[in-house]
Amino acid sequence: MADVRRDPSTDEAVTATEAVGKDPEMVELEARHRRFVWPATIFFLVYYLALNVLAGTSPGLMGTKLFGQFTFGYLFALSQFVMAFVVAWVYTSWA
């Protein structure tokens, strides 16, 4: 059963979840979270989709050999893993 309390200012029943949601610290935390997550998500999706778009539209660029048989396409694909860890690291330092 939910923990229900009365809000003294309005005499309405308030659950613990509603009380936490109205807490100014929680409101600020949610705002900071949104300010980071939306731009980071958009950046990472564009970065991720760029691999597919470049592979389809610029095979010459993606097939450019950097050294030996290692091409720009391989480098870009491997950089996706690095970028995932970078975004996670930046998020942990932001939060």
Side-chain angles (χ1 to χ4, degrees), residues 1-75:
M1 184 164 165
D3 181 23
V4 179
R5 299 180 183 169
R6 296 255 172 224
D7 183 358
S9 63
T10 61
D11 199 36
E12 293 178 4
V14 178
T15 64
T17 304
E18 291 171 336
V20 169
K22 293 177 182 177
D23 181 30
E25 289 181 24
M26 187 64 176
V27 171
E28 173 59 26
L29 181 63
E30 288 173 345
R32 286 188 66 202
H33 177 77
R34 275 192 305 274
R35 282 193 306 263
F36 178 84
V37 168
W38 284 111
T41 300
I42 291 167
F43 166 77
F44 195 76
L45 283 175
V46 168
Y47 190 78
Y48 175 76
L49 292 174
L51 175 64
N52 300 317
V53 171
L54 286 173
T57 60
S58 304
L61 171 66
M62 298 303 270
T64 303
K65 293 185 180 179
L66 300 177
F67 49 90
Q69 295 296 317
F70 195 77
T71 64
F72 179 76
Y74 283 133
L75 177 66

